[in-house]
Amino acid sequence: MPDPAAATSNLGFAILGLLARRACNGYEVAQRMRQPIGYFWTARHSQIYPELNRLDASGLVEHEVIEGAGPRPTKRYRITETGQAALAAWVVGDLEPQPVRDLEVLRLWSIWTVAPAAAVELVSRLEAAHRSVLDRYLDELAEISGDPGVRDPSNPLFASRITLEGGIRSRRTALEWCAWMRAEFAAAEQRR
Amino acid sequence: MPDPAAATSNLGFAILGLLARRACNGYEVAQRMRQPIGYFWTARHSQIYPELNRLDASGLVEHEVIEGAGPRPTKRYRITETGQAALAAWVVGDLEPQPVRDLEVLRLWSIWTVAPAAAVELVSRLEAAHRSVLDRYLDELAEISGDPGVRDPSNPLFASRITLEGGIRSRRTALEWCAWMRAEFAAAEQRR
DNA sequence: TCCTCATATGTCAATATTGACATATGCCCG
DNA sequence: CGGGCATATGTCAATATTGACATATGAGGA
């Protein structure tokens, strides 16, 4: 018997989470998952359309066809009750330790191979990148904060708020860490 | 003309970073990359052996065969000067924004679909997982801190220290965030 | 002595992900 | 009116990653 929490792939659960909030066509799903701002999984449309078909075949989502512009008809997808149940089961399911795969830290791990000046320059670039993402997170949080739904645990905006808060905290920490690294390089330079 | 910083894949640079620190056979590389503790990329041996062959064919690493036990001879890999140069170029190369792909936050984004009690229980499990990783990072940092090399930017231990520091800061932040989330659920319960 | 585990290197099929190619319409701007 | 862009849905080849299968030896414990 398959694990009930394994009704689909990670990508499938990402899409289900999106459709649980509101019905969308594939293009809208793809738009939402193109940039990870305020969201924590990305995918291209070439992955999304086949996955929507699989979810449809498994009965986790259903669609209605809307005739409109374009070479093919538009399909509006909605999550089913089965899909809702599968999503909820996955959310509280077992946590398998996820592999840490961080390209930024992988670079820093080999930073001893380059000249200190170039290293500090790299850290400054990382810092700028974190700052720009932080700003976008702050904007997104400000946008939803006015809605009273953000304080109701059964409202999607509550979940949006707590994940955004996590993003904001982690980017702030990354910025502090970058400043700390620059200070470490400066201290080493002093000792020379 | 190909980007000089694109001499190999991300996995290839992870392996080069390892071999720049010390010569290893494939098995040792695989051991090191099995768990991400103090390191930030993971891979299985089935990925590593073919990648080592590719790196060897590109001249970024070289190997000597050591006859020993086992069905096949042991190969000891060492980074070449070309490999060192490619690694250093990659370290300071352009930063393409990396996709955020966080399964934990993806779950939390759909946490509004489950009962608050189950949600709080999930947050507590996340918290325990972060705490255990934090403890291992702290142990690793303590192990290397005695070495004077940790303060020299051209020593690999300097890089190990700053990446570990990043891991420690990010896990501490995650723990604070988990406590904050539990408080948010408690506050909502109060208002009910 | 037998069983298990660590050492050591590989292949292979399945799945996941990326990037390019493909197509057709409506809208806006110059 | 022509060109580019957003809308909208797909396929396909290449690469990345996982998990299973395969093999052989030496060391240590039951």
Side-chain angles (χ1 to χ4, degrees):
Chain A
M1 199 173 305
D3 184 356
T8 180
S9 61
N10 290 336
L11 173 62
F13 287 118
I15 295 174
L16 284 180
L18 210 53
L19 295 178
R21 288 166 174 240
R22 63 183 187 87
C24 286
N25 60 39
Y27 186 77
E28 290 168 326
V29 172
Q31 288 301 308
R32 194 75 179 74
M33 299 195 57
R34 211 169 39 92
Q35 288 291 325
I37 302 307
Y39 196 57
F40 306 89
W41 204 263
T42 54
R44 314 298 171 87
H45 78 274
S46 58
Q47 226 188 331
I48 288 166
Y49 288 113
E51 186 66 36
L52 279 168
N53 282 327
R54 276 191 290 271
L55 291 170
D56 206 340
S58 330
L60 301 176
V61 306
E62 57 190 13
H63 74 270
E64 52 172 338
V65 173
I66 300 168
E67 291 298 335
R72 292 184 192 81
T74 294
K75 295 181 194 167
R76 184 160 197 77
Y77 289 93
R78 201 180 329 132
I79 194 167
T80 61
E81 275 184 48
T82 313
Q84 278 270 356
L87 178 62
W90 171 75
V91 166
V92 295
D94 283 345
L95 296 168
E96 67 283 22
Q98 47 176 327
V100 178
R101 192 167 269 152
D102 191 324
L103 205 51
E104 171 185 318
V105 185
L106 186 62
R107 275 175 191 241
L108 291 174
W109 193 67
S110 290
I111 207 171
W112 60 276
T113 62
V114 305
V120 170
E121 197 270 335
L122 170 66
V123 172
S124 301
R125 273 185 291 146
L126 289 174
E127 214 169 347
H130 282 300
R131 200 178 305 275
S132 113
V133 175
L134 172 61
D135 287 344
R136 278 178 287 162
Y137 282 161
L138 288 170
D139 284 349
E140 271 217 17
L141 184 59
E143 263 172 50
I144 62 169
S145 289
D147 194 301
V150 297
R151 259 170 285 137
D152 173 8
S154 64
N155 188 303
L157 287 180
F158 178 89
S160 294
R161 179 172 64 100
I162 66 171
T163 54
L164 272 173
E165 175 76 21
I168 289 165
R169 285 171 183 248
S170 94
R171 297 294 169 158
R172 284 208 168 116
T173 298
L175 284 173
E176 288 163 21
W177 176 48
C178 286
W180 174 86
M181 284 191 282
R182 281 192 289 103
E184 286 295 316
F185 278 105
E189 175 65 18
Q190 280 297 313
R191 274 192 301 275
R192 241 179 19 88
Chain B
M1 198 173 303
D3 182 359
T8 179
S9 61
N10 290 335
L11 173 61
F13 287 118
I15 295 174
L16 285 181
L18 211 52
L19 296 178
R21 288 165 174 242
R22 62 184 187 85
C24 286
N25 59 38
Y27 186 77
E28 291 168 325
V29 173
Q31 289 301 307
R32 195 72 179 74
M33 300 195 56
R34 211 167 40 92
Q35 288 292 324
I37 301 309
Y39 196 58
F40 304 89
W41 203 264
T42 55
R44 313 300 170 86
H45 78 273
S46 57
Q47 226 189 329
I48 289 166
Y49 288 113
E51 186 67 36
L52 280 168
N53 283 327
R54 276 191 291 271
L55 290 171
D56 206 341
S58 331
L60 301 176
V61 307
E62 57 191 14
H63 74 270
E64 53 173 335
V65 173
I66 298 167
E67 293 298 335
R72 292 186 192 80
T74 294
K75 294 181 195 167
R76 185 159 197 78
Y77 289 92
R78 201 178 330 131
I79 194 167
T80 61
E81 274 183 48
T82 314
Q84 278 271 358
L87 178 61
W90 170 75
V91 165
V92 296
D94 282 344
L95 296 167
E96 68 282 23
Q98 49 177 324
V100 178
R101 192 167 267 150
D102 190 325
L103 205 51
E104 171 185 317
V105 184
L106 187 63
R107 274 176 191 241
L108 291 173
W109 194 67
S110 290
I111 207 170
W112 61 278
T113 63
V114 306
V120 170
E121 197 270 333
L122 171 66
V123 173
S124 300
R125 272 185 291 146
L126 289 175
E127 213 169 347
H130 282 299
R131 199 178 305 276
S132 113
V133 175
L134 172 61
D135 287 343
R136 277 178 287 163
Y137 281 161
L138 288 170
D139 285 348
E140 270 217 18
L141 184 60
E143 264 173 49
I144 62 168
S145 289
D147 195 301
V150 297
R151 260 169 285 138
D152 172 8
S154 65
N155 188 302
L157 287 179
F158 178 88
S160 294
R161 179 171 66 100
I162 66 171
T163 55
L164 272 172
E165 175 75 22
I168 288 165
R169 284 170 184 248
S170 95
R171 297 294 170 158
R172 285 206 168 117
T173 297
L175 284 172
E176 287 163 21
W177 176 48
C178 286
W180 174 86
M181 284 191 280
R182 282 191 289 100
E184 286 295 315
F185 278 105
E189 174 66 19
Q190 280 297 312
R191 276 192 300 275
R192 250 188 4 99

